[in-house]
Amino acid sequence: MVAPYNIPATQHQFEFEIKRSQFICYAAHADHREAAENFIKTIRELHPQARHVCWAYIAGAPNTTIMSMSDDGEPSGTAGRPMLKILQYSGLGEIAVAVVRYFGGIKLGTGGLQRAYSDAVSGVLEELPLKLKVPREQIEFCYDYALESIVRHVLSRYDIDGEQLSYNEQVSISLQIASTQLDAFQTELINHCSGAIEIHVKDKV
């Protein structure tokens, strides 16, 4: 079960200079791989003259396997890996970062590069506006009108969103509930309604 986690609220950037090399780090929200790759493409198009555009992303919850990185021509292991490591330690999810480097003519060495790319990501994260992402499950169920007050009472105790109702022979309801509360909600509602409700779990949202 995925607990709530922070994600970028807006795109943000941070820049600094080391030995005449200019580093510009951009961070943005990326909830899936395509969004992350489109963001990286956009940054490349913004800086067509840059020597390197290195990047890393975690395109999902902090523990997702949908993550990637690139050194983009820097010595292997000096850019993408340290950037991704900073993201992993941050606890953030759904985030992509790209660091643009304009070479200043002085080589930084492998250790210097690792520190520079790590510092670029740490710098952008320090002031990155965040918002809380609550992983949710889409659920649906129907109930008799006589159970309305019981259902309302149980619903009031949980973190729900996007509620939609339709009234026919029974009341049909569709809503999103916090993933961490789904099991407890199912148990409580079914018990309170003496098993007269069947809950259908649709998709994660």
Side-chain angles (χ1 to χ4, degrees):
M1 202 67 73
V2 180
Y5 54 91
N6 281 317
I7 63 175
T10 61
Q11 186 168 312
H12 190 61
Q13 75 181 74
F14 169 76
E15 55 186 277
F16 64 102
E17 190 175 302
I18 300 176
K19 295 182 178 178
R20 298 208 296 269
S21 276
Q22 184 184 14
F23 291 84
I24 311 169
C25 184
Y26 296 86
H29 179 233
D31 56 352
H32 51 84
R33 193 183 299 276
E34 186 179 355
E37 291 174 354
N38 285 340
F39 161 72
I40 294 159
K41 181 183 176 185
T42 299
I43 301 305
R44 286 192 190 283
E45 290 171 350
L46 275 176
H47 297 274
Q49 304 303 318
R51 182 80 170 263
H52 306 280
V53 180
C54 305
W55 51 264
Y57 63 75
I58 298 174
N63 61 348
T64 185
T65 56
I66 306 172
M67 58 179 70
S68 191
M69 62 190 177
S70 170
D71 294 315
D72 192 39
E74 294 282 29
S76 179
T78 61
R81 188 170 300 281
M83 290 169 64
L84 182 59
K85 191 171 289 187
I86 296 293
L87 293 184
Q88 290 173 312
Y89 282 123
S90 75
L92 301 177
E94 302 181 11
I95 183 169
V97 291
V99 178
V100 178
R101 181 189 181 196
Y102 287 96
F103 184 54
I106 301 173
K107 292 188 176 180
L108 302 181
T110 55
L113 285 171
Q114 289 171 346
R115 284 190 297 275
Y117 282 101
S118 296
D119 289 349
V121 177
S122 295
V124 82
L125 295 186
E126 276 184 17
E127 297 183 352
L128 178 66
L130 302 174
K131 62 182 179 181
L132 189 66
K133 170 72 176 279
V134 179
R136 296 181 180 277
E137 308 279 349
Q138 183 78 38
I139 62 173
E140 296 175 355
F141 57 92
C142 300
Y143 56 90
D144 292 332
Y145 286 87
L147 295 173
E148 178 78 23
S149 62
I150 294 173
V151 171
R152 285 288 135 208
H153 171 70
V154 175
L155 285 174
S156 70
R157 293 164 36 77
Y158 290 87
D159 180 1
I160 65 169
D161 194 19
E163 182 180 320
Q164 294 182 319
L165 293 163
S166 61
Y167 297 93
N168 297 299
E169 290 183 11
Q170 287 186 308
V171 182
S172 299
I173 187 168
S174 171
L175 57 87
Q176 299 166 10
I177 185 166
S179 298
T180 54
Q181 297 183 349
L182 177 61
D183 291 345
F185 172 76
Q186 287 181 299
T187 300
E188 183 173 351
L189 187 62
I190 290 169
N191 287 345
H192 276 64
C193 297
S194 303
I197 284 181
E198 184 178 348
I199 298 170
H200 301 282
V201 180
K202 308 299 283 185
D203 300 298
K204 292 185 184 297
V205 291

PDB file of all heavy atoms in Angstrom, residues 26-58:
ATOM      1  N   TYR A  26      16.772  22.029 -13.786  1.00  0.00           N
ATOM      2  CA  TYR A  26      15.315  22.174 -13.859  1.00  0.00           C
ATOM      3  C   TYR A  26      14.669  20.957 -13.198  1.00  0.00           C
ATOM      4  O   TYR A  26      15.144  19.818 -13.371  1.00  0.00           O
ATOM      5  CB  TYR A  26      14.849  22.226 -15.309  1.00  0.00           C
ATOM      6  CG  TYR A  26      15.331  23.412 -16.099  1.00  0.00           C
ATOM      7  CD1 TYR A  26      16.577  23.376 -16.737  1.00  0.00           C
ATOM      8  CD2 TYR A  26      14.554  24.555 -16.239  1.00  0.00           C
ATOM      9  CE1 TYR A  26      17.028  24.457 -17.483  1.00  0.00           C
ATOM     10  CE2 TYR A  26      14.992  25.643 -16.986  1.00  0.00           C
ATOM     11  CZ  TYR A  26      16.233  25.584 -17.602  1.00  0.00           C
ATOM     12  OH  TYR A  26      16.677  26.655 -18.336  1.00  0.00           O
ATOM     13  N   ALA A  27      13.586  21.185 -12.457  1.00  0.00           N
ATOM     14  CA  ALA A  27      12.809  20.089 -11.872  1.00  0.00           C
ATOM     15  C   ALA A  27      11.350  20.279 -12.261  1.00  0.00           C
ATOM     16  O   ALA A  27      10.853  21.407 -12.328  1.00  0.00           O
ATOM     17  CB  ALA A  27      12.945  20.085 -10.350  1.00  0.00           C
ATOM     18  N   ALA A  28      10.670  19.162 -12.510  1.00  0.00           N
ATOM     19  CA  ALA A  28       9.268  19.241 -12.932  1.00  0.00           C
ATOM     20  C   ALA A  28       8.517  17.991 -12.502  1.00  0.00           C
ATOM     21  O   ALA A  28       9.115  16.958 -12.193  1.00  0.00           O
ATOM     22  CB  ALA A  28       9.168  19.410 -14.446  1.00  0.00           C
ATOM     23  N   HIS A  29       7.197  18.102 -12.512  1.00  0.00           N
ATOM     24  CA  HIS A  29       6.329  16.963 -12.200  1.00  0.00           C
ATOM     25  C   HIS A  29       6.322  15.994 -13.383  1.00  0.00           C
ATOM     26  O   HIS A  29       6.232  16.422 -14.542  1.00  0.00           O
ATOM     27  CB  HIS A  29       4.905  17.462 -11.927  1.00  0.00           C
ATOM     28  CG  HIS A  29       3.932  16.369 -11.628  1.00  0.00           C
ATOM     29  ND1 HIS A  29       2.745  16.209 -12.303  1.00  0.00           N
ATOM     30  CD2 HIS A  29       3.987  15.364 -10.722  1.00  0.00           C
ATOM     31  CE1 HIS A  29       2.102  15.168 -11.828  1.00  0.00           C
ATOM     32  NE2 HIS A  29       2.844  14.638 -10.868  1.00  0.00           N
ATOM     33  N   ALA A  30       6.432  14.695 -13.092  1.00  0.00           N
ATOM     34  CA  ALA A  30       6.391  13.674 -14.147  1.00  0.00           C
ATOM     35  C   ALA A  30       5.750  12.418 -13.560  1.00  0.00           C
ATOM     36  O   ALA A  30       6.409  11.643 -12.875  1.00  0.00           O
ATOM     37  CB  ALA A  30       7.798  13.372 -14.655  1.00  0.00           C
ATOM     38  N   ASP A  31       4.458  12.223 -13.835  1.00  0.00           N
ATOM     39  CA  ASP A  31       3.761  11.090 -13.227  1.00  0.00           C
ATOM     40  C   ASP A  31       3.841   9.810 -14.055  1.00  0.00           C
ATOM     41  O   ASP A  31       3.340   8.770 -13.634  1.00  0.00           O
ATOM     42  CB  ASP A  31       2.299  11.443 -12.934  1.00  0.00           C
ATOM     43  CG  ASP A  31       1.554  11.911 -14.185  1.00  0.00           C
ATOM     44  OD1 ASP A  31       2.202  12.112 -15.228  1.00  0.00           O
ATOM     45  OD2 ASP A  31       0.325  12.090 -14.094  1.00  0.00           O
ATOM     46  N   HIS A  32       4.473   9.877 -15.218  1.00  0.00           N
ATOM     47  CA  HIS A  32       4.715   8.661 -16.006  1.00  0.00           C
ATOM     48  C   HIS A  32       5.930   8.907 -16.911  1.00  0.00           C
ATOM     49  O   HIS A  32       6.381  10.043 -17.064  1.00  0.00           O
ATOM     50  CB  HIS A  32       3.485   8.255 -16.818  1.00  0.00           C
ATOM     51  CG  HIS A  32       2.893   9.355 -17.646  1.00  0.00           C
ATOM     52  ND1 HIS A  32       3.363   9.681 -18.904  1.00  0.00           N
ATOM     53  CD2 HIS A  32       1.887  10.226 -17.377  1.00  0.00           C
ATOM     54  CE1 HIS A  32       2.662  10.681 -19.396  1.00  0.00           C
ATOM     55  NE2 HIS A  32       1.765  11.041 -18.483  1.00  0.00           N
ATOM     56  N   ARG A  33       6.429   7.833 -17.495  1.00  0.00           N
ATOM     57  CA  ARG A  33       7.684   7.899 -18.258  1.00  0.00           C
ATOM     58  C   ARG A  33       7.612   8.890 -19.418  1.00  0.00           C
ATOM     59  O   ARG A  33       8.546   9.654 -19.662  1.00  0.00           O
ATOM     60  CB  ARG A  33       8.046   6.497 -18.786  1.00  0.00           C
ATOM     61  CG  ARG A  33       9.460   6.393 -19.321  1.00  0.00           C
ATOM     62  CD  ARG A  33       9.740   5.017 -19.892  1.00  0.00           C
ATOM     63  NE  ARG A  33       9.614   3.965 -18.928  1.00  0.00           N
ATOM     64  CZ  ARG A  33      10.581   3.592 -18.071  1.00  0.00           C
ATOM     65  NH1 ARG A  33      11.732   4.244 -18.064  1.00  0.00           N
ATOM     66  NH2 ARG A  33      10.398   2.600 -17.235  1.00  0.00           N
ATOM     67  N   GLU A  34       6.492   8.892 -20.134  1.00  0.00           N
ATOM     68  CA  GLU A  34       6.365   9.788 -21.287  1.00  0.00           C
ATOM     69  C   GLU A  34       6.444  11.253 -20.868  1.00  0.00           C
ATOM     70  O   GLU A  34       7.067  12.073 -21.547  1.00  0.00           O
ATOM     71  CB  GLU A  34       5.042   9.522 -22.017  1.00  0.00           C
ATOM     72  CG  GLU A  34       4.895  10.317 -23.304  1.00  0.00           C
ATOM     73  CD  GLU A  34       3.600  10.023 -24.038  1.00  0.00           C
ATOM     74  OE1 GLU A  34       2.844   9.125 -23.609  1.00  0.00           O
ATOM     75  OE2 GLU A  34       3.339  10.708 -25.041  1.00  0.00           O
ATOM     76  N   ALA A  35       5.831  11.587 -19.726  1.00  0.00           N
ATOM     77  CA  ALA A  35       5.887  12.966 -19.230  1.00  0.00           C
ATOM     78  C   ALA A  35       7.324  13.363 -18.910  1.00  0.00           C
ATOM     79  O   ALA A  35       7.758  14.480 -19.211  1.00  0.00           O
ATOM     80  CB  ALA A  35       5.007  13.116 -17.990  1.00  0.00           C
ATOM     81  N   ALA A  36       8.078  12.448 -18.298  1.00  0.00           N
ATOM     82  CA  ALA A  36       9.480  12.730 -17.971  1.00  0.00           C
ATOM     83  C   ALA A  36      10.302  12.946 -19.229  1.00  0.00           C
ATOM     84  O   ALA A  36      11.103  13.889 -19.322  1.00  0.00           O
ATOM     85  CB  ALA A  36      10.057  11.567 -17.150  1.00  0.00           C
ATOM     86  N   GLU A  37      10.094  12.099 -20.219  1.00  0.00           N
ATOM     87  CA  GLU A  37      10.881  12.203 -21.446  1.00  0.00           C
ATOM     88  C   GLU A  37      10.513  13.451 -22.260  1.00  0.00           C
ATOM     89  O   GLU A  37      11.375  14.065 -22.898  1.00  0.00           O
ATOM     90  CB  GLU A  37      10.731  10.914 -22.249  1.00  0.00           C
ATOM     91  CG  GLU A  37      11.427   9.742 -21.530  1.00  0.00           C
ATOM     92  CD  GLU A  37      11.217   8.391 -22.173  1.00  0.00           C
ATOM     93  OE1 GLU A  37      10.419   8.305 -23.133  1.00  0.00           O
ATOM     94  OE2 GLU A  37      11.836   7.417 -21.705  1.00  0.00           O
ATOM     95  N   ASN A  38       9.244  13.842 -22.210  1.00  0.00           N
ATOM     96  CA  ASN A  38       8.840  15.085 -22.883  1.00  0.00           C
ATOM     97  C   ASN A  38       9.471  16.301 -22.209  1.00  0.00           C
ATOM     98  O   ASN A  38       9.887  17.257 -22.879  1.00  0.00           O
ATOM     99  CB  ASN A  38       7.318  15.215 -22.875  1.00  0.00           C
ATOM    100  CG  ASN A  38       6.646  14.288 -23.880  1.00  0.00           C
ATOM    101  OD1 ASN A  38       7.284  13.818 -24.820  1.00  0.00           O
ATOM    102  ND2 ASN A  38       5.373  14.016 -23.674  1.00  0.00           N
ATOM    103  N   PHE A  39       9.553  16.256 -20.879  1.00  0.00           N
ATOM    104  CA  PHE A  39      10.193  17.345 -20.136  1.00  0.00           C
ATOM    105  C   PHE A  39      11.669  17.468 -20.528  1.00  0.00           C
ATOM    106  O   PHE A  39      12.170  18.565 -20.797  1.00  0.00           O
ATOM    107  CB  PHE A  39      10.056  17.077 -18.632  1.00  0.00           C
ATOM    108  CG  PHE A  39      11.021  17.839 -17.774  1.00  0.00           C
ATOM    109  CD1 PHE A  39      10.890  19.212 -17.584  1.00  0.00           C
ATOM    110  CD2 PHE A  39      12.065  17.179 -17.136  1.00  0.00           C
ATOM    111  CE1 PHE A  39      11.784  19.910 -16.782  1.00  0.00           C
ATOM    112  CE2 PHE A  39      12.961  17.869 -16.334  1.00  0.00           C
ATOM    113  CZ  PHE A  39      12.821  19.236 -16.166  1.00  0.00           C
ATOM    114  N   ILE A  40      12.369  16.345 -20.582  1.00  0.00           N
ATOM    115  CA  ILE A  40      13.795  16.355 -20.953  1.00  0.00           C
ATOM    116  C   ILE A  40      13.972  16.903 -22.371  1.00  0.00           C
ATOM    117  O   ILE A  40      14.864  17.719 -22.633  1.00  0.00           O
ATOM    118  CB  ILE A  40      14.380  14.930 -20.832  1.00  0.00           C
ATOM    119  CG1 ILE A  40      14.370  14.489 -19.355  1.00  0.00           C
ATOM    120  CG2 ILE A  40      15.798  14.873 -21.395  1.00  0.00           C
ATOM    121  CD1 ILE A  40      14.424  12.985 -19.169  1.00  0.00           C
ATOM    122  N   LYS A  41      13.092  16.481 -23.275  1.00  0.00           N
ATOM    123  CA  LYS A  41      13.142  16.974 -24.657  1.00  0.00           C
ATOM    124  C   LYS A  41      12.960  18.490 -24.700  1.00  0.00           C
ATOM    125  O   LYS A  41      13.660  19.201 -25.442  1.00  0.00           O
ATOM    126  CB  LYS A  41      12.059  16.273 -25.481  1.00  0.00           C
ATOM    127  CG  LYS A  41      12.035  16.693 -26.947  1.00  0.00           C
ATOM    128  CD  LYS A  41      10.883  16.014 -27.679  1.00  0.00           C
ATOM    129  CE  LYS A  41      10.788  16.504 -29.114  1.00  0.00           C
ATOM    130  NZ  LYS A  41       9.602  15.939 -29.808  1.00  0.00           N
ATOM    131  N   THR A  42      12.033  18.997 -23.893  1.00  0.00           N
ATOM    132  CA  THR A  42      11.774  20.440 -23.843  1.00  0.00           C
ATOM    133  C   THR A  42      13.009  21.204 -23.373  1.00  0.00           C
ATOM    134  O   THR A  42      13.355  22.262 -23.915  1.00  0.00           O
ATOM    135  CB  THR A  42      10.589  20.738 -22.904  1.00  0.00           C
ATOM    136  OG1 THR A  42       9.428  20.084 -23.414  1.00  0.00           O
ATOM    137  CG2 THR A  42      10.322  22.233 -22.802  1.00  0.00           C
ATOM    138  N   ILE A  43      13.696  20.667 -22.353  1.00  0.00           N
ATOM    139  CA  ILE A  43      14.896  21.336 -21.833  1.00  0.00           C
ATOM    140  C   ILE A  43      16.004  21.333 -22.882  1.00  0.00           C
ATOM    141  O   ILE A  43      16.713  22.331 -23.067  1.00  0.00           O
ATOM    142  CB  ILE A  43      15.377  20.669 -20.522  1.00  0.00           C
ATOM    143  CG1 ILE A  43      14.281  20.732 -19.457  1.00  0.00           C
ATOM    144  CG2 ILE A  43      16.656  21.332 -20.023  1.00  0.00           C
ATOM    145  CD1 ILE A  43      13.758  22.118 -19.150  1.00  0.00           C
ATOM    146  N   ARG A  44      16.140  20.233 -23.611  1.00  0.00           N
ATOM    147  CA  ARG A  44      17.134  20.184 -24.710  1.00  0.00           C
ATOM    148  C   ARG A  44      16.840  21.262 -25.753  1.00  0.00           C
ATOM    149  O   ARG A  44      17.752  21.918 -26.254  1.00  0.00           O
ATOM    150  CB  ARG A  44      17.098  18.809 -25.378  1.00  0.00           C
ATOM    151  CG  ARG A  44      17.710  17.685 -24.580  1.00  0.00           C
ATOM    152  CD  ARG A  44      17.864  16.466 -25.468  1.00  0.00           C
ATOM    153  NE  ARG A  44      18.222  15.294 -24.706  1.00  0.00           N
ATOM    154  CZ  ARG A  44      19.440  15.048 -24.246  1.00  0.00           C
ATOM    155  NH1 ARG A  44      20.404  15.919 -24.469  1.00  0.00           N
ATOM    156  NH2 ARG A  44      19.694  13.947 -23.568  1.00  0.00           N
ATOM    157  N   GLU A  45      15.562  21.427 -26.070  1.00  0.00           N
ATOM    158  CA  GLU A  45      15.187  22.419 -27.086  1.00  0.00           C
ATOM    159  C   GLU A  45      15.433  23.846 -26.592  1.00  0.00           C
ATOM    160  O   GLU A  45      15.705  24.748 -27.391  1.00  0.00           O
ATOM    161  CB  GLU A  45      13.714  22.224 -27.463  1.00  0.00           C
ATOM    162  CG  GLU A  45      13.476  20.942 -28.250  1.00  0.00           C
ATOM    163  CD  GLU A  45      12.009  20.615 -28.440  1.00  0.00           C
ATOM    164  OE1 GLU A  45      11.159  21.291 -27.797  1.00  0.00           O
ATOM    165  OE2 GLU A  45      11.702  19.679 -29.195  1.00  0.00           O
ATOM    166  N   LEU A  46      15.342  24.058 -25.271  1.00  0.00           N
ATOM    167  CA  LEU A  46      15.624  25.371 -24.689  1.00  0.00           C
ATOM    168  C   LEU A  46      17.102  25.724 -24.751  1.00  0.00           C
ATOM    169  O   LEU A  46      17.470  26.900 -24.769  1.00  0.00           O
ATOM    170  CB  LEU A  46      15.191  25.393 -23.208  1.00  0.00           C
ATOM    171  CG  LEU A  46      13.739  25.702 -22.880  1.00  0.00           C
ATOM    172  CD1 LEU A  46      13.523  25.562 -21.378  1.00  0.00           C
ATOM    173  CD2 LEU A  46      13.357  27.105 -23.337  1.00  0.00           C
ATOM    174  N   HIS A  47      17.955  24.692 -24.774  1.00  0.00           N
ATOM    175  CA  HIS A  47      19.408  24.902 -24.699  1.00  0.00           C
ATOM    176  C   HIS A  47      20.126  24.111 -25.802  1.00  0.00           C
ATOM    177  O   HIS A  47      20.912  23.201 -25.513  1.00  0.00           O
ATOM    178  CB  HIS A  47      19.930  24.466 -23.321  1.00  0.00           C
ATOM    179  CG  HIS A  47      19.366  25.260 -22.194  1.00  0.00           C
ATOM    180  ND1 HIS A  47      19.912  26.459 -21.771  1.00  0.00           N
ATOM    181  CD2 HIS A  47      18.294  25.024 -21.388  1.00  0.00           C
ATOM    182  CE1 HIS A  47      19.206  26.924 -20.746  1.00  0.00           C
ATOM    183  NE2 HIS A  47      18.223  26.085 -20.494  1.00  0.00           N
ATOM    184  N   PRO A  48      19.892  24.457 -27.058  1.00  0.00           N
ATOM    185  CA  PRO A  48      20.506  23.686 -28.145  1.00  0.00           C
ATOM    186  C   PRO A  48      22.032  23.793 -28.185  1.00  0.00           C
ATOM    187  O   PRO A  48      22.698  22.924 -28.758  1.00  0.00           O
ATOM    188  CB  PRO A  48      19.871  24.300 -29.404  1.00  0.00           C
ATOM    189  CG  PRO A  48      19.456  25.678 -28.992  1.00  0.00           C
ATOM    190  CD  PRO A  48      19.046  25.553 -27.565  1.00  0.00           C
ATOM    191  N   GLN A  49      22.604  24.842 -27.581  1.00  0.00           N
ATOM    192  CA  GLN A  49      24.058  25.032 -27.618  1.00  0.00           C
ATOM    193  C   GLN A  49      24.767  24.410 -26.409  1.00  0.00           C
ATOM    194  O   GLN A  49      25.999  24.467 -26.315  1.00  0.00           O
ATOM    195  CB  GLN A  49      24.392  26.533 -27.668  1.00  0.00           C
ATOM    196  CG  GLN A  49      23.734  27.291 -28.826  1.00  0.00           C
ATOM    197  CD  GLN A  49      24.089  26.702 -30.178  1.00  0.00           C
ATOM    198  OE1 GLN A  49      25.241  26.340 -30.425  1.00  0.00           O
ATOM    199  NE2 GLN A  49      23.102  26.600 -31.055  1.00  0.00           N
ATOM    200  N   ALA A  50      24.021  23.844 -25.477  1.00  0.00           N
ATOM    201  CA  ALA A  50      24.646  23.309 -24.258  1.00  0.00           C
ATOM    202  C   ALA A  50      25.502  22.086 -24.577  1.00  0.00           C
ATOM    203  O   ALA A  50      25.149  21.270 -25.431  1.00  0.00           O
ATOM    204  CB  ALA A  50      23.578  22.946 -23.237  1.00  0.00           C
ATOM    205  N   ARG A  51      26.606  21.963 -23.850  1.00  0.00           N
ATOM    206  CA  ARG A  51      27.519  20.820 -24.046  1.00  0.00           C
ATOM    207  C   ARG A  51      26.862  19.519 -23.566  1.00  0.00           C
ATOM    208  O   ARG A  51      27.011  18.472 -24.193  1.00  0.00           O
ATOM    209  CB  ARG A  51      28.808  21.102 -23.276  1.00  0.00           C
ATOM    210  CG  ARG A  51      29.898  20.042 -23.407  1.00  0.00           C
ATOM    211  CD  ARG A  51      30.665  20.199 -24.701  1.00  0.00           C
ATOM    212  NE  ARG A  51      31.848  19.347 -24.724  1.00  0.00           N
ATOM    213  CZ  ARG A  51      33.078  19.766 -24.406  1.00  0.00           C
ATOM    214  NH1 ARG A  51      33.275  21.025 -24.034  1.00  0.00           N
ATOM    215  NH2 ARG A  51      34.107  18.942 -24.464  1.00  0.00           N
ATOM    216  N   HIS A  52      26.142  19.602 -22.448  1.00  0.00           N
ATOM    217  CA  HIS A  52      25.499  18.414 -21.871  1.00  0.00           C
ATOM    218  C   HIS A  52      24.135  18.782 -21.290  1.00  0.00           C
ATOM    219  O   HIS A  52      23.977  19.866 -20.725  1.00  0.00           O
ATOM    220  CB  HIS A  52      26.339  17.811 -20.740  1.00  0.00           C
ATOM    221  CG  HIS A  52      27.760  17.514 -21.125  1.00  0.00           C
ATOM    222  ND1 HIS A  52      28.127  16.400 -21.836  1.00  0.00           N
ATOM    223  CD2 HIS A  52      28.904  18.206 -20.874  1.00  0.00           C
ATOM    224  CE1 HIS A  52      29.442  16.415 -22.020  1.00  0.00           C
ATOM    225  NE2 HIS A  52      29.934  17.500 -21.457  1.00  0.00           N
ATOM    226  N   VAL A  53      23.180  17.873 -21.439  1.00  0.00           N
ATOM    227  CA  VAL A  53      21.910  17.952 -20.705  1.00  0.00           C
ATOM    228  C   VAL A  53      21.705  16.583 -20.051  1.00  0.00           C
ATOM    229  O   VAL A  53      21.216  15.635 -20.671  1.00  0.00           O
ATOM    230  CB  VAL A  53      20.720  18.299 -21.632  1.00  0.00           C
ATOM    231  CG1 VAL A  53      19.419  18.360 -20.808  1.00  0.00           C
ATOM    232  CG2 VAL A  53      20.942  19.626 -22.343  1.00  0.00           C
ATOM    233  N   CYS A  54      22.135  16.486 -18.805  1.00  0.00           N
ATOM    234  CA  CYS A  54      22.045  15.230 -18.066  1.00  0.00           C
ATOM    235  C   CYS A  54      20.723  15.202 -17.299  1.00  0.00           C
ATOM    236  O   CYS A  54      20.190  16.254 -16.936  1.00  0.00           O
ATOM    237  CB  CYS A  54      23.218  15.096 -17.101  1.00  0.00           C
ATOM    238  SG  CYS A  54      24.828  15.260 -17.927  1.00  0.00           S
ATOM    239  N   TRP A  55      20.215  14.008 -17.027  1.00  0.00           N
ATOM    240  CA  TRP A  55      18.888  13.947 -16.417  1.00  0.00           C
ATOM    241  C   TRP A  55      18.680  12.683 -15.588  1.00  0.00           C
ATOM    242  O   TRP A  55      19.427  11.710 -15.691  1.00  0.00           O
ATOM    243  CB  TRP A  55      17.802  14.063 -17.482  1.00  0.00           C
ATOM    244  CG  TRP A  55      17.948  13.129 -18.653  1.00  0.00           C
ATOM    245  CD1 TRP A  55      18.528  13.406 -19.860  1.00  0.00           C
ATOM    246  CD2 TRP A  55      17.531  11.761 -18.727  1.00  0.00           C
ATOM    247  NE1 TRP A  55      18.486  12.308 -20.685  1.00  0.00           N
ATOM    248  CE2 TRP A  55      17.868  11.287 -20.025  1.00  0.00           C
ATOM    249  CE3 TRP A  55      16.893  10.892 -17.849  1.00  0.00           C
ATOM    250  CZ2 TRP A  55      17.607   9.978 -20.439  1.00  0.00           C
ATOM    251  CZ3 TRP A  55      16.618   9.589 -18.253  1.00  0.00           C
ATOM    252  CH2 TRP A  55      16.974   9.152 -19.541  1.00  0.00           C
ATOM    253  N   ALA A  56      17.636  12.749 -14.761  1.00  0.00           N
ATOM    254  CA  ALA A  56      17.209  11.598 -13.970  1.00  0.00           C
ATOM    255  C   ALA A  56      15.738  11.797 -13.640  1.00  0.00           C
ATOM    256  O   ALA A  56      15.254  12.923 -13.562  1.00  0.00           O
ATOM    257  CB  ALA A  56      18.026  11.475 -12.684  1.00  0.00           C
ATOM    258  N   TYR A  57      15.024  10.692 -13.468  1.00  0.00           N
ATOM    259  CA  TYR A  57      13.621  10.828 -13.070  1.00  0.00           C
ATOM    260  C   TYR A  57      13.130   9.610 -12.301  1.00  0.00           C
ATOM    261  O   TYR A  57      13.670   8.510 -12.421  1.00  0.00           O
ATOM    262  CB  TYR A  57      12.710  11.110 -14.263  1.00  0.00           C
ATOM    263  CG  TYR A  57      12.628  10.045 -15.344  1.00  0.00           C
ATOM    264  CD1 TYR A  57      11.899   8.866 -15.155  1.00  0.00           C
ATOM    265  CD2 TYR A  57      13.233  10.242 -16.590  1.00  0.00           C
ATOM    266  CE1 TYR A  57      11.795   7.905 -16.165  1.00  0.00           C
ATOM    267  CE2 TYR A  57      13.133   9.305 -17.609  1.00  0.00           C
ATOM    268  CZ  TYR A  57      12.403   8.138 -17.385  1.00  0.00           C
ATOM    269  OH  TYR A  57      12.303   7.191 -18.383  1.00  0.00           O
ATOM    270  N   ILE A  58      12.101   9.857 -11.492  1.00  0.00           N
ATOM    271  CA  ILE A  58      11.326   8.820 -10.812  1.00  0.00           C
ATOM    272  C   ILE A  58       9.874   9.078 -11.211  1.00  0.00           C
ATOM    273  O   ILE A  58       9.238   9.995 -10.709  1.00  0.00           O
ATOM    274  CB  ILE A  58      11.490   8.896  -9.276  1.00  0.00           C
ATOM    275  CG1 ILE A  58      12.954   8.661  -8.893  1.00  0.00           C
ATOM    276  CG2 ILE A  58      10.577   7.893  -8.580  1.00  0.00           C
ATOM    277  CD1 ILE A  58      13.235   8.854  -7.405  1.00  0.00           C
TER     278      ILE A  58
END
